[in-house]
Amino acid sequence: MISENYWPAVYAIAEQLANQKTDGNELKKAISYLRAYGNRENGGAKFFQYLRILTRNGQSIGHSQNTIEYYRSLEAACKEHLQPYQDDVPAMLQILGWAARLMGYYKSGGSTDFVQQPEIPSRKAEIAAVLSGQDLQIGGILDATITNIKGNMVTYTMLDSIPTTQKEPKKANSLSVGQEVKVKILSVKNGRPSKVELIE
């Protein structure tokens, strides 16, 4: 059974290819390639190389004037929606297989408006809301509260809800939970501080 997590990629690829009037047979050929060679080392990554080669050489290997556009559409849709599964070939095959089935539905005017978007867990939504109003940069100074100390691992919570835990072998013993401090941002990942330095 296909994982619920794969459906957004399935719908997105099917709708994108249908809207661009991509020939479904080209998608099926790509699936056949992945099924035949996906079990090799780096099979997922090589699938994207295969799509690039098709696009690059589409004028000479295509069987019609439209083939090159089919290849371009296919490569673009897969890069946008399938690349996160590059290391999981069985997942790629499930997604592409269902996308191939759904393309006909979209081409006939069907929609998936009935599909509920996956809910973002409330904690993630809370963090996203806090970060949306921030422009956090490396070198920036933030007020933080120490919310946990376990051994030499210290958790700094910034902006009232963004925690970062890191090793503080030289400072942990002199800190206490609830202490208000200032930290300097040393790195940012996905818009949130991933490493900070205690400055006072």
Side-chain angles (χ1 to χ4, degrees):
M1 179 179 292
I2 185 171
S3 167
E4 288 292 324
N5 296 332
Y6 301 163
W7 283 112
V10 171
Y11 293 131
I13 291 171
E15 185 172 25
Q16 188 167 327
L17 293 180
N19 289 342
Q20 294 171 345
K21 304 187 186 309
T22 305
D23 186 343
N25 289 323
E26 300 302 336
L27 173 56
K28 291 175 183 174
K29 290 176 186 175
I31 295 171
S32 295
Y33 173 90
L34 184 60
R35 188 174 292 124
Y37 301 107
N39 60 349
R40 297 183 178 182
E41 186 177 1
N42 299 320
K46 288 177 180 174
F47 175 72
F48 289 97
Q49 292 175 5
Y50 162 76
L51 295 178
R52 278 196 296 276
I53 291 170
L54 285 182
T55 301
R56 189 184 311 137
N57 300 293
Q59 294 289 11
S60 57
I61 63 176
H63 48 76
S64 76
Q65 293 294 324
N66 295 326
T67 306
I68 182 66
E69 294 305 324
Y70 299 154
Y71 292 153
R72 286 174 180 153
S73 299
L74 189 56
E75 182 186 9
C78 289
K79 282 178 67 176
E80 185 173 352
H81 305 292
L82 196 65
Q83 210 140 32
Y85 304 95
Q86 180 173 294
D87 297 326
D88 188 349
V89 170
M92 294 171 70
L93 283 169
Q94 284 196 335
I95 292 167
L96 290 177
W98 278 101
R101 295 181 184 96
L102 275 177
M103 275 183 66
Y105 173 71
Y106 278 113
K107 283 185 174 180
S108 65
S111 76
T112 52
D113 291 343
F114 57 88
V115 176
Q116 292 184 339
Q117 295 298 317
E119 291 186 13
I120 299 174
S122 58
R123 177 63 182 146
K124 286 186 178 180
E126 178 188 348
I127 291 176
V130 171
L131 292 175
S132 67
Q134 304 293 328
D135 181 22
L136 301 178
Q137 304 286 340
I138 293 174
I141 307 297
L142 292 174
D143 293 323
T145 302
I146 295 174
T147 53
N148 194 27
I149 300 175
K150 191 171 183 178
N152 63 5
M153 301 299 290
V154 177
T155 300
Y156 301 99
T157 295
M158 297 150 282
L159 304 170
D160 295 326
S161 61
I162 311 295
T164 293
T165 301
Q166 59 192 52
K167 284 185 178 179
E168 295 287 12
K170 296 181 180 178
K171 301 174 184 173
N173 287 339
S174 64
L175 301 172
S176 59
V177 173
Q179 184 177 348
E180 303 288 334
V181 297
K182 288 189 181 296
V183 295
K184 180 180 179 180
I185 300 173
L186 298 182
S187 65
V188 176
K189 185 175 182 180
N190 297 326
R192 59 184 289 177
S194 57
K195 188 173 182 182
V196 297
E197 177 185 13
L198 176 66
I199 56 174
E200 63 180 74

